[in-house]
Amino acid sequence: MKLSKKLEQALQKQVTLEYNAAYVYNGMRIYLDDAQYAGAASWMTKQAKEELEHAEAFINFLDSIEVKAELGKIEEEKTEYDGLLSVLEAALEHEQMITESIEDILKIAIKDEHFAAENFLRKFIDEQVEEEDSFRGLIDLVKFAGDDKAALLKIDSILGQR
Ligand SMILES: [Fe+2]
């Protein structure tokens, strides 16, 4: 299975994007800890770790098709947000960007008839459906709680159980 330059570049870029996602979620985690949302901070820490695993999966996939992974540049990341809802909305937006990126790589893999890459990427499409769904669920929950401090505390403690 020959890997086209275009497909290789797209896969390489995804490695950095996944590491970057870990960086984004760590920024959120730092904010959440500082804002006394201990449960949400712990939830976000796990989310960040998952992103590291995604990056590793891309590195391992590249290695399995005899391509040496490259690590691109990661920009500075913010640690300031405007409340729990703003964090979750930013997280959903970030996941949507990641989904788009994976869909773009999948389109190239399909066009190139690189079936191994296609299979590998489809698993990530499933993963993205789950990620987006979980953030949407949390956003609905926090919106429902509104300004009710007791309800927000309860949500935070539920998040801490992840
Ligand atoms: Fe990811």
Side-chain angles (χ1 to χ4, degrees):
M1 256 172 284
K2 182 94 178 75
L3 192 68
S4 71
K5 199 77 219 149
K6 198 173 171 195
L7 184 54
E8 182 188 336
Q9 278 170 351
L11 287 164
Q12 294 283 20
K13 207 183 103 201
Q14 193 63 31
V15 174
T16 306
L17 264 187
E18 298 291 345
Y19 277 123
N20 183 250
Y23 220 48
V24 169
Y25 291 137
N26 267 312
M28 293 175 176
R29 166 254 179 111
I30 290 166
Y31 165 77
L32 290 165
D33 255 326
D34 190 54
Q36 311 299 323
Y37 285 112
S42 144
W43 194 95
M44 216 43 103
T45 304
K46 290 191 176 120
Q47 187 67 29
K49 285 188 180 141
E50 253 188 51
E51 299 306 333
L52 296 179
E53 286 170 16
H54 296 168
E56 279 158 26
F58 274 87
I59 291 172
N60 290 338
F61 176 72
L62 284 167
D63 181 61
S64 72
I65 56 170
E66 296 184 321
V67 176
K68 189 178 172 191
E70 289 162 9
L71 300 177
K73 191 175 169 181
I74 291 178
E75 300 295 329
E76 214 171 278
E77 189 52 49
K78 66 171 181 171
T79 55
E80 206 40 69
Y81 289 87
D82 187 23
L84 182 57
L85 185 59
S86 86
V87 169
L88 295 171
E89 284 173 338
L92 174 61
E93 217 173 281
H94 193 83
E95 283 306 322
Q96 286 166 335
M97 184 274 285
I98 299 277
T99 302
E100 233 173 84
S101 170
I102 292 172
E103 283 172 348
D104 286 344
I105 311 171
L106 179 57
K107 281 180 208 157
I108 304 170
I110 291 170
K111 197 163 165 281
D112 285 2
E113 299 187 348
H114 197 295
F115 303 118
E118 186 182 334
N119 279 348
F120 172 75
L121 290 160
R122 283 194 191 278
K123 281 180 248 155
F124 274 89
I125 298 279
D126 291 342
E127 170 77 23
Q128 286 309 114
V129 171
E130 273 175 41
E131 301 274 302
E132 287 190 23
D133 184 54
S134 92
F135 279 119
R136 265 189 223 102
L138 292 176
I139 287 169
D140 286 347
L141 215 59
V142 172
K143 275 188 179 162
F144 187 70
D147 292 331
D148 184 341
K149 289 259 181 338
L152 284 169
L153 265 175
K154 180 77 193 156
I155 292 170
D156 187 58
S157 94
I158 292 168
L159 287 175
Q161 289 162 22
R162 175 181 176 179

